[in-house]
Amino acid sequence: MIAAMGRISQIQATLQQLSNVKTERVTTTDAVTTGAASASADSFAATLAAAVGTSATSAAGSANGKTGSDVVASAEKYLGVPYVFGGEDSSGMDCSGLVQTVYADIGIELPRLVSGQMKMGTEVASLAEAQPGDLIVTGGGDHILIYAGDNKVIHAPYPGRTVCLREAYMTDADITTIRRIIPTNSAVADTGSAALQKAFAAFAQQNSTVTGNTL
């Protein structure tokens, strides 16, 4: 993404040069049009930089540099904590309380209830594609678990039990959704690449418009 932002700077510089060329070639009769073109180019460059910057940070920035392994390590600290409906600390917690607390520990804010948590992040197609830190929702939103990798999950099951690590007992047919809160490196790269491609396309269109007006 550093390279991408470097390209944005080059685009801004090129647009400014085009605007300057436009100014030098116009006559008094079209001076107003020149000013509009220059303002348009400046506005486009600023908007473009802001858009690409937002796209680049929305995925990576939200993870605070953390990984799925950090999620699992955080969850393991609560193994043995008793299930308490509505609980969300080491004295007792329910399934969604565990998820919210685990992610809060690594600096990521999630909703308190499963109904909100199951809408966060991006969807994973199947259990076979799950990665450590992904959230597995079952029963239409009745229960949520943290995938720990190696076909294991960490969750707060129900009253009388404690937070535990166990084999994943569900199949894809039992799963309502799997949510990836922390994007993989490839996902971040894809997001940045897509944003840069859009930037180049937008630049080409604006460049054609500006140079066309100068002829």
Side-chain angles (χ1 to χ4, degrees):
M1 290 317 301
I2 293 176
M5 295 310 297
R7 290 293 299 149
I8 294 302
S9 297
Q10 293 177 12
I11 290 173
Q12 290 175 310
T14 302
L15 285 172
Q16 188 59 51
Q17 291 174 3
L18 289 172
S19 297
N20 292 339
V21 170
K22 171 66 177 175
T23 302
E24 293 172 359
R25 295 182 59 182
V26 296
T27 64
T28 304
T29 57
D30 58 9
V32 173
T33 302
T34 301
S38 178
S40 176
D42 290 342
S43 176
F44 166 76
T47 302
L48 180 61
V52 174
T54 299
S55 297
T57 58
S58 61
S62 64
N64 296 322
K66 301 298 183 178
T67 67
S69 296
D70 293 320
V71 176
V72 175
S74 176
E76 288 176 340
K77 296 186 303 183
Y78 299 101
L79 293 177
V81 170
Y83 179 97
V84 173
F85 181 74
E88 51 191 35
D89 58 37
S90 56
S91 65
M93 52 181 56
D94 58 18
C95 63
S96 57
L98 171 66
V99 167
Q100 185 188 49
T101 300
V102 164
Y103 270 89
D105 285 349
I106 62 171
I108 298 176
E109 183 178 351
L110 291 182
R112 174 61 181 85
L113 302 178
V114 178
S115 58
Q117 294 170 353
M118 65 188 292
K119 298 174 184 177
M120 303 299 291
T122 58
E123 188 161 31
V124 177
S126 67
L127 186 59
E129 298 177 45
Q131 296 184 5
D134 289 350
L135 303 179
I136 301 174
V137 179
T138 61
D142 288 339
H143 192 52
I144 191 165
L145 313 87
I146 299 171
Y147 188 68
D150 196 25
N151 201 44
K152 290 181 170 58
V153 293
I154 297 176
H155 70 145
Y158 47 80
R161 296 287 301 277
T162 62
V163 175
C164 62
L165 171 69
R166 60 162 296 176
E167 290 289 327
Y169 57 86
M170 70 291 295
T171 67
D172 286 331
D174 304 314
I175 296 173
T176 301
T177 185
I178 302 174
R179 310 301 297 186
R180 180 159 299 155
I181 306 302
I182 298 180
T184 60
N185 290 335
S186 60
V188 173
D190 290 344
T191 300
S193 177
L196 191 57
Q197 289 177 10
K198 291 180 180 179
F200 288 154
F203 167 66
Q205 181 178 4
Q206 182 71 17
N207 183 33
S208 175
T209 301
V210 174
T211 54
N213 287 336
T214 62
L215 296 178

